[in-house]
Amino acid sequence: MRLPCSHLLTPDIPQHQYLDLPSFSFLIDHSGSQRKILFDLGLRKDALSHPPAVRNFLAESGWDLQVTKDIPEILKEGHLSQDDIEAVVFSHHHFDHLGDLSQFPPSTEVVVGPGFKNAYLPGWPVDPESSLIDEEWKNHQIREISFDHGPKSLLIGGFPAFDYFGDGSFFLLDAPGHTIGHLAALARVSQATNSSTEGQRDKFVLIGGDICHYPGTFRPTIHSPLDPEGQAALCACPASFFLDIHPEKSCEKPYYKMPAHCTVDKDSAQLSIQKLCEFDANEDVLVIIGHDASLIEKIDFFPKTINAWDRESKDNIQWAFLEDFLQGSY
Ligand SMILES: [Zn+2]
């Protein structure tokens, strides 16, 4: 998707006017049981099959969509098909995460966050403004996750968590704010054999969905500050460049904020971003939000796995987005 930064980010940074965003879908393959689920489906390939509200939005906003492959085509590259997917978890109801549910058999369960059904179903045409196509959703069992907010609730990094497989390998996280019932997830992608040995700790991937839309909305922070000289050296630009373009000239605050128009609840959106910042500072966790273009050449994609992401290269991955600020003017 290509769109103006101002649609998803505030304040304006003159050196950064456009976003070229991928829409990620994550395959979670549970080792042991071989159960497979997808987290988000990305964009529909056939733009004409979007419901009217989405088509109108695209026409008015000018967002340019290009989808070269859909999920069944990508699964096929790894010798899988939609029939292998027991469930699709949706971070939220926006069109750029919904893919094309009609491509999945009725046996594929749909998993959504708290309050989703009441807020976003039924879909179009029952609700003419909906981004969901009711016919496609009616074919599936829809499971709405509820999180325990009581004193004995499971919290991970401040997020209420739901242990999906019941063995601590994959957690859905209650991360509201962008939308009602917005979900994130935490996958344990490698397990240490000896936790007492340095470097032999479990590794995780935090799947952020749209907690925010751009890495500069949760980087840098006081926990993970910008080193302007170090970062500038990587791209042969003046040492102060990345600090000079920061709206607050800060090495410890994110470049951007999520604008209020991108949230249903500004405060809870900010709280979810704050929790994401803390995960991002943990060297055992790789944070991947749903639209992070800077990862495309930096990490392995399906049919390879991300399990072997390398702690040594986390710095390189984390700050790759800074290259966007070198775009100059479009
Ligand atoms: Zn999105």
Side-chain angles (χ1 to χ4, degrees):
M1 301 188 289
R2 184 170 167 84
L3 57 137
C5 290
S6 58
H7 288 196
L8 299 178
L9 306 172
T10 189
D12 178 55
I13 295 180
Q15 290 80 355
H16 188 212
Q17 291 299 310
Y18 283 90
L19 292 166
D20 282 298
L21 301 181
S23 262
F24 294 145
S25 172
F26 297 81
L27 173 70
I28 292 95
D29 187 353
H30 182 250
S31 52
S33 72
Q34 313 303 313
R35 290 169 61 190
K36 292 171 184 60
I37 62 174
L38 289 169
F39 186 97
D40 281 342
L41 296 180
L43 283 160
R44 263 178 123 83
K45 192 172 174 184
D46 177 12
L48 294 174
S49 67
H50 282 297
V54 175
R55 291 208 303 272
N56 291 343
F57 168 80
L58 291 171
E60 281 163 23
S61 66
W63 291 22
D64 182 30
L65 307 188
Q66 285 181 20
V67 187
T68 50
K69 288 180 203 167
D70 60 17
I71 297 290
E73 288 171 296
I74 297 169
L75 286 172
K76 208 171 171 187
E77 291 172 7
H79 309 291
L80 294 175
S81 84
Q82 314 80 298
D83 295 331
D84 298 311
I85 306 300
E86 74 168 35
V88 176
V89 179
F90 287 110
S91 61
H92 64 299
H93 69 293
H94 286 158
F95 72 93
D96 52 324
H97 298 254
L98 296 178
D100 185 348
L101 200 49
S102 71
Q103 296 173 316
F104 288 79
S107 56
T108 304
E109 189 178 46
V110 169
V111 179
V112 295
F116 185 105
K117 284 187 190 179
N118 193 35
Y120 305 122
L121 288 174
W124 175 82
V126 185
D127 174 1
E129 295 303 315
S130 179
S131 57
L132 287 71
I133 297 173
D134 205 47
E135 200 60 39
E136 294 176 2
W137 283 65
K138 273 199 310 206
N139 273 336
H140 298 269
Q141 184 157 336
I142 299 169
R143 177 181 176 195
E144 186 173 292
I145 302 294
S146 51
F147 293 91
D148 179 4
H149 289 267
K152 291 185 179 171
S153 66
L154 175 61
L155 287 175
I156 304 180
F159 288 114
F162 175 84
D163 186 349
Y164 187 87
F165 294 109
D167 62 358
S169 61
F170 183 70
F171 299 92
L172 297 179
L173 305 176
D174 187 16
H178 175 48
T179 61
I180 294 167
H182 180 279
L183 293 174
L186 182 70
R188 190 188 306 268
V189 294
S190 79
Q191 210 152 5
T193 44
N194 180 357
S195 58
S196 62
T197 310
E198 185 58 28
Q200 289 282 303
R201 298 184 307 271
D202 291 5
K203 282 195 294 194
F204 299 85
V205 170
L206 188 293
I207 301 171
D210 281 2
I211 287 180
C212 57
H213 297 98
Y214 188 72
T217 312
F218 61 95
R219 297 177 186 141
T221 63
I222 194 163
H223 313 292
S224 190
L226 177 74
D227 165 15
E229 288 189 24
Q231 300 308 331
L234 293 175
C235 57
C237 52
S240 59
F241 178 80
F242 292 119
L243 190 56
D244 288 344
I245 62 163
H246 193 297
E248 296 185 63
K249 308 280 181 278
S250 169
C251 290
E252 298 180 346
K253 289 183 189 170
Y255 282 91
Y256 286 115
K257 290 185 169 62
M258 181 109 136
H261 72 255
C262 289
T263 69
V264 289
D265 179 340
K266 200 167 173 279
D267 294 339
S268 55
Q270 189 49 44
L271 198 59
S272 293
I273 292 170
Q274 181 57 38
K275 293 170 189 171
L276 197 67
C277 291
E278 292 173 23
F279 270 101
D280 195 47
N282 186 318
E283 61 180 15
D284 298 327
V285 182
L286 182 63
V287 171
I288 304 181
I289 52 173
H291 300 294
D292 187 351
S294 71
L295 296 175
I296 285 172
E297 308 252 303
K298 303 280 181 193
I299 60 168
D300 286 333
F301 284 82
F302 188 78
K304 289 184 178 167
T305 76
I306 200 169
N307 295 2
W309 74 264
D310 177 16
R311 284 187 185 87
E312 311 270 290
S313 52
K314 180 167 169 176
D315 227 34
N316 187 15
I317 297 170
Q318 245 182 336
W319 299 108
F321 77 93
L322 293 175
E323 288 180 24
D324 297 348
F325 299 140
L326 306 172
Q327 290 171 347
S329 51
Y330 270 88

